[in-house]
């Protein structure tokens, strides 16, 4: 009976991921940077030489030429200075983070086009007749007094 209880207790804990330790710990810590399990002694990233220790302290770099913020998302381990250099060689066009005013204007583009309705729908409804976005309340062409845009096909010469 005592043997089966010991086997069950051994299944409860986890071994420390530090190569020199491997201690069985019943209250292990998970490193926020590398997601590995460690004992109390090796729980701090510096104590287990965490390969992702620099992660989390993100500073958004600015281009020295155009003073725009450089987008580091989807850089897949690319060093910051290489990303900034690629931004500069693209003529300060690539990898630019949108400014707050651009994000606001993008949100306004999706606002309901019905007069005096200030709703920004989560799912905008595109009216095929008048070519505008509307919220749920004004999605029907009867609800927003739809005035269809007349499409005139371009004249082609034969």
């Amino acid at each position: 009976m005592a043997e089966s209880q010991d086997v069950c207790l051994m299944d409860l804990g986890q071994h420390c991921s530090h190569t020199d330790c491997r201690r069985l710990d019943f209250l292990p810590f998970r490193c926020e940077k590398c997601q590995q399990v460690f004992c109390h002694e090796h729980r701090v990233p510096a104590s287990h030489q965490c390969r992702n220790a620099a992660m989390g302290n993100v500073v958004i770099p600015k281009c020295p030429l155009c003073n725009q913020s450089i987008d580091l998302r989807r850089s897949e381990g690319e060093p910051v200075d290489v990303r900034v250099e690629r931004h500069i060689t693209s003529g300060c066009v690539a990898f630019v983070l949108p400014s707050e005013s651009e994000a606001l204007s993008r949100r306004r583009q999706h606002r309901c086009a019905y007069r005096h309705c200030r709703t920004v729908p989560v799912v905008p409804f595109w009216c095929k007749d008048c070519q505008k976005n509307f919220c749920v309340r004004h999605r029907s062409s009867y609800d927003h007094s739809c005035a269809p845009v007349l499409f005139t096909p371009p004249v082609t010469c034969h």
Side-chain angles (χ1 to χ4, degrees), residues 12-143:
L12 288 177
Q14 289 184 308
H15 289 278
C16 178
S17 295
H18 195 276
T19 54
D20 296 333
C21 181
R22 304 295 299 158
R23 179 184 301 150
L24 179 64
D25 198 335
F26 295 106
L27 294 172
F29 294 88
R30 185 170 298 278
C31 177
E32 293 178 0
K33 311 286 184 182
C34 64
Q35 301 301 315
Q36 291 185 359
V37 176
F38 295 98
C39 65
H40 184 269
E41 184 180 337
H42 299 110
R43 73 184 189 279
V44 181
S47 66
H48 66 266
Q49 292 84 32
C50 184
R51 63 182 178 274
N52 299 335
M55 237 176 65
N57 301 332
V58 178
V59 176
I60 299 174
K62 288 198 175 262
C63 175
L65 301 177
C66 65
N67 205 28
Q68 293 181 345
S69 299
I70 309 298
D71 189 2
L72 295 178
R73 295 174 293 188
R74 298 180 299 278
S75 64
E76 295 153 9
E78 183 179 42
V80 175
D81 55 343
V82 173
R83 180 56 70 106
V84 173
E85 183 179 339
R86 287 178 62 199
H87 164 76
I88 292 171
T89 56
S90 75
C92 293
V93 177
F95 311 117
V96 177
L97 277 175
S99 67
E100 197 62 36
S101 61
E102 288 173 358
L104 183 63
S105 68
R106 212 175 301 135
R107 271 182 259 141
R108 284 185 181 147
Q109 286 175 353
H110 296 294
R111 188 168 49 189
C112 179
Y114 188 71
R115 186 185 43 184
H116 302 300
C117 182
R118 302 185 59 82
T119 306
V120 180
V122 176
V123 179
F125 292 91
W126 181 256
C127 180
K128 293 176 185 170
D129 296 328
C130 64
Q131 307 292 312
K132 294 180 182 176
N133 280 323
F134 293 96
C135 66
V136 175
R137 183 181 297 158
H138 303 115
R139 70 179 181 249
S140 172
S141 59
Y142 299 111
D143 294 330

